[in-house]
Amino acid sequence: MKQAPILITTGEYESMIQEYIDENLTEDGTVYILGGSAAVAETFEKGLAETNTVKRLKGSNRYGTNLEILKEAGVADEDILVCTGLDFADSLSASALGKPILLVSDTLSDAQEEFLEGLGKDNKIYIIGGSAAVSSDLAAEISAFGTTERISGKTRLETSTKLAEQFFSAPTSAVLAYARNFPDGLCGGALAYALKAPLVLTQTDSETAAAAYAKDNAITRGYVLGGAKLISDASARTIFQAEADAPVTLK
């Protein structure tokens, strides 16, 4: 684990990201750029390298990049989570767990098989999401590399709370992220991990799963990522069992 925040950027926000790095990165720290130049421009990388140690991790596609990240993090001989790389929801929910995540498509590549083989068969492989996310055939293929367990709900919202139930014992707070796009949840995974809190996906008028989880675990406080157009203040208050005029902690 690198104990680092995740910063997302596009060309128009590069100066803001540079300013944050200049103000917060330790003297011997490293800036990791994830993905190729189509994801983060080389010109931005060169600008960072003038004052910081910079390392780009990339593969020929998202799955190759994922493996490079896992290798750089020193993942070995430990449990791992497997999520589809064709959608973002399950991997967002899993990002708060502090466990390595392997992204997969329809079948394992040779490089992915080699990586799983290196983990050792005594470790657990958690398959996140239903068969529409990680097929039964692919799950069977993965089972050759260790004991597997699938964690899923009927929807991405329920899968999120199933993960929280599985991996968090007596949490005192939760981080809420919008279920239908990825930026807030992607950045918020590091926050949730630091707080030892689950990252729960939800959205306005679809807070039933999150509210039930919060009630069952007596969670009455937490953080809401993003503006009220994504998760309304009323939805947040419903989830955290708050009074109608209670302030929302974070937007």
Side-chain angles (χ1 to χ4, degrees), residues 38-214:
V40 180
E42 291 183 2
T43 53
F44 181 51
E45 177 182 2
K46 290 177 181 177
L48 289 174
E50 292 178 1
T51 55
N52 307 111
T53 300
V54 178
K55 186 169 186 179
R56 186 186 288 268
L57 304 176
K58 66 175 183 176
S60 59
N61 54 34
R62 66 188 66 185
Y63 307 102
T65 296
N66 175 225
L67 285 175
E68 291 303 313
I69 293 169
L70 293 173
K71 292 173 185 176
E72 180 67 22
V75 174
D77 194 24
E78 59 187 289
D79 294 347
I80 193 166
L81 312 172
V82 175
C83 298
T84 178
L86 301 175
D87 198 358
F88 58 83
D90 295 337
S91 55
L92 288 189
S93 301
S95 67
L97 305 182
K99 295 182 180 296
I101 299 172
L102 179 69
L103 299 180
V104 296
S105 181
D106 298 325
T107 188
L108 295 176
S109 68
D110 290 344
Q112 288 173 325
E113 290 183 352
E114 182 179 351
F115 172 77
L116 288 172
E117 186 68 43
L119 293 179
K121 291 194 175 183
D122 291 335
N123 297 298
K124 191 79 169 282
I125 303 173
Y126 294 95
I127 297 172
I128 311 304
S131 57
V134 180
S135 72
S136 298
D137 288 344
L138 180 54
E141 189 178 348
I142 293 168
S143 69
F145 299 94
T147 301
T148 62
E149 179 181 344
R150 187 186 290 273
I151 302 173
S152 66
K154 294 179 181 178
T155 66
R156 63 182 61 194
L157 308 179
E158 289 189 8
T159 295
S160 178
T161 58
K162 293 289 186 183
L163 278 170
E165 290 166 359
Q166 177 90 10
F167 290 103
F168 290 89
S169 176
T172 59
S173 63
V175 176
L176 306 182
Y178 183 56
R180 297 297 169 185
N181 64 25
F182 66 87
D184 296 336
L186 178 63
C187 299
L191 170 65
Y193 176 71
L195 294 171
K196 298 181 180 179
L199 191 149
V200 178
L201 298 184
T202 189
Q203 63 193 72
T204 299
D205 297 327
S206 295
E207 63 272 347
T208 301
Y213 172 76

